[in-house]
């Protein structure tokens, strides 16, 4: 097989504020046959994630910016369909950062095999992948959660938040989460089993809602949103409380800096610890993460939702949906059916 064509999504323009479909374009790229030591992968699933918005800006960060006219990158799961590499056989499922495209040729660097017996392969982009690992690292390594504490989680029904909520419940914690619809809040209470969910879009006064939900204060805040959520959390955090600052999606599309929380002085008086983190700096705890997740999944105590867009051309739409909350749980793009399943 040679010179197959791959549909790929490229950055057409750097988004100004809220990203729009015209910031992306679909390109057809010729993919050469794999050479010596290389193999050809057909992508089946790809992930869209909020952090990708940061890579669309031309600025220094912990990951380099995407370039205009180049194919985007991101987490994906594919199947090897042709191989000249002794470590990767035709039929192997692999995980890599070569998403936003249908096909790629690789020598195997930064490509890992995944075990389909572990569950649906796409779970490696969600609960068992980067978002799940982010939840675990933030909660236990960054915030140092202890059994029985009180925990507040923002964007609680999302890919990271839903795992945070259920890990904390499994450790006997009192858990309150916020989300942007009644359906998501119902799911959080009925399926994820948290103690209370706040619809931050309809509750009116978020600060009062957080205060009322935490009669004993907040020991740990897992921040996915920033802004008013962070300010409310600081107001009701207990002395020596900890916050894992995972993300601040509320401000990813801002074009001018927004005012910060007006209550940072409480960090001093209450001896709070607020710590930002990037999941890739905590890969040492992957074995602990898998062990804990296996226990919860086999006990039916880790439930997740996913929202799926079909086809690579709908990947930009899937990405945009992250900022309106149109996704429920992990947002995925199904690129192709499994060729031999
Ligand atoms: N530090 C790290 O290493 C790391 C790794 C992964 C993810 N993250 C961060 O973790 C957070 C969650 O990521 P995820 O992958 O789990 O995404 P997600 O929660 O599955 O999807 C994003 C959700 O954010 C909520 N949202 C969007 N705009 C909002 C706004 N203005 N105010 C409040 N909520 C808003 C929406 O849910 P609602 O309907 O509830 O509004 C949306 O569904 C993001 O901030 C992301 O950048 C950080």
């Amino acid at each position: 097989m040679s010179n197959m064509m791959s549909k790929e999504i490229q950055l057409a323009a750097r988004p100004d504020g809220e990203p729009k479909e015209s910031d992306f374009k679909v390109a057809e790229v010729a993919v050469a046959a794999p050479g010596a030591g290389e193999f050809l992968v057909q992508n089946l699933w790809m992930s869209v994630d909020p952090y990708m918005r940061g890579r669309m800006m031309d600025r220094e960060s912990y990951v380099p910016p995407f370039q205009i006219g180049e194919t985007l990158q991101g987490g994906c799961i594919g199947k090897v369909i042709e191989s000249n590499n002794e470590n990767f056989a035709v039929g192997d499922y692999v995980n890599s950062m070569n998403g936003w495209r249908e096909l790629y040729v690789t020598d195997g660097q930064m490509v890992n095999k995944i075990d389909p017996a572990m569950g649906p392969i796409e779970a490696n982009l969600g609960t068992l992948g980067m978002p799940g690992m982010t939840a675990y690292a933030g909660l236990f390594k960054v915030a140092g959660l202890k059994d029985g504490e009180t925990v507040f989680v923002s964007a609680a029904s999302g890919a990271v938040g839903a795992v945070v909520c259920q890990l904390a419940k499994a450790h006997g914690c009192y858990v309150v989460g916020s989300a942007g619809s009644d359906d998501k809040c119902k799911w959080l209470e009925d399926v994820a089993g948290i103690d209370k969910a706040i619809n931050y879009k309809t509750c009116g006064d978020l600060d009062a809602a957080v205060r009322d939900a935490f009669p004993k204060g907040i020991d740990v805040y897992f921040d996915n949103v920033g802004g008013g959520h962070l300010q409310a959390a600081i107001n009701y955090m207990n002395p020596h409380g900890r916050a894992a600052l995972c993300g601040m999606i509320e401000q990813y599309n801002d074009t001018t800096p927004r005012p910060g929380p007006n209550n940072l002085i409480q960090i001093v008086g209450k001896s709070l610890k607020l710590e930002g983190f990037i999941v890739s700096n905590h890969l040492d705890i992957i074995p602990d993460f898998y062990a804990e997740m296996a226990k919860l999944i086999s006990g039916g105590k880790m439930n997740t939702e996913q929202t799926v867009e079909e086809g690579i051309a709908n990947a930009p739409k899937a990405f945009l949906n992250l900022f309106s909350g149109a996704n429920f749980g992990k947002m995925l793009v199904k690129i192709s059916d499994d060729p031999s399943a």
Side-chain angles (χ1 to χ4, degrees):
M1 237 186 281
S2 64
N3 289 333
M4 295 175 75
M5 298 302 287
S6 168
K7 280 206 192 72
E8 313 198 343
I9 307 297
Q10 300 184 342
L11 190 64
R14 296 202 182 280
D16 182 21
E18 189 91 15
K20 42 194 187 313
E21 295 255 6
S22 59
D23 294 328
F24 304 87
K25 75 168 187 211
V26 184
E28 291 244 20
V29 174
V31 178
E38 293 182 331
F39 54 100
L40 175 65
V41 178
Q42 178 167 356
N43 272 334
L44 308 179
W45 293 91
M46 63 166 263
S47 174
V48 288
D49 299 277
Y51 79 87
M52 293 169 174
R53 177 65 183 87
R55 292 193 71 185
M56 291 170 192
M57 296 183 205
D58 191 13
R59 62 166 192 198
E60 270 196 33
S61 182
Y62 64 97
V63 272
F66 294 132
Q67 296 302 320
I68 291 172
E70 288 185 4
T71 302
L72 299 168
Q73 295 159 5
C76 59
I77 306 292
K79 192 169 197 178
V80 178
I81 55 172
E82 217 179 310
S83 181
N84 300 322
N85 183 307
E86 60 185 14
N87 298 317
F88 292 86
V90 169
D92 283 349
Y93 293 96
V94 292
N95 161 341
S96 77
M97 287 298 285
N98 300 316
W100 296 89
R101 69 201 76 195
E102 293 177 316
L103 299 163
Y104 65 91
V105 169
T106 173
D107 61 6
Q109 294 240 9
M110 311 290 284
V111 178
N112 297 303
K113 271 191 241 188
I114 59 171
D115 180 359
M118 296 264 296
I121 52 171
E122 65 273 23
N124 289 277
L125 297 172
T127 318
L128 290 176
M130 184 276 282
M133 176 62 192
T134 302
Y136 186 82
L139 206 46
F140 296 110
K141 201 161 167 194
V142 179
L145 183 76
K146 299 189 211 66
D147 289 3
E149 290 192 307
T150 60
V151 180
F152 181 39
V153 188
S154 53
S157 71
V160 174
V163 178
V164 174
C165 286
Q166 292 169 90
L167 284 170
K169 280 312 300 174
H171 283 258
C173 295
Y174 171 82
V175 180
V176 175
S178 72
S181 76
D182 288 344
D183 282 354
K184 290 179 179 181
C185 287
K186 186 169 168 24
W187 182 88
L188 281 164
E189 290 180 357
D190 294 353
V191 182
I194 70 170
D195 298 279
K196 187 169 179 46
I198 298 170
N199 181 338
Y200 72 92
K201 289 185 178 162
T202 58
C203 69
D205 182 347
L206 178 63
D207 189 87
V210 173
R211 179 198 63 208
D212 293 348
F214 283 101
K216 294 183 177 164
I218 301 169
D219 297 319
V220 166
Y221 172 48
F222 196 104
D223 191 20
N224 288 315
V225 168
H229 277 84
L230 178 57
Q231 183 167 305
I234 291 172
N235 276 338
Y236 302 106
M237 282 174 80
N238 290 324
H240 302 286
R242 292 91 63 209
L245 304 184
C246 174
M248 299 194 179
I249 195 166
E250 187 182 295
Q251 67 187 54
Y252 291 177
N253 295 321
D254 283 357
T255 48
T256 51
R258 64 174 61 212
N262 62 14
N263 55 355
L264 296 181
I265 185 61
Q266 293 189 37
I267 298 171
V268 179
K270 294 197 277 192
S271 302
L272 304 179
K273 186 181 117 181
L274 279 71
E275 185 177 336
F277 73 102
I278 296 297
V279 61
S280 51
N281 292 334
H282 297 284
L283 301 183
D284 55 309
I285 56 171
I286 284 180
D288 301 339
F289 163 64
Y290 280 140
E292 175 109 18
M293 294 302 271
K295 209 170 57 187
L296 294 184
I297 290 169
S298 64
K301 296 205 162 127
M302 183 55 66
N303 299 287
T304 46
E305 289 291 316
Q306 59 186 36
T307 303
V308 177
E309 286 291 341
E310 298 274 341
I312 188 79
N314 282 320
K317 179 178 166 206
F319 175 69
L320 304 189
N321 281 346
L322 293 171
F323 301 99
S324 63
N327 64 308
F328 190 161
K330 179 63 202 149
M331 185 81 233
L332 292 168
V333 179
K334 185 172 179 195
I335 299 180
S336 162
D337 287 327
D338 193 330
S340 60

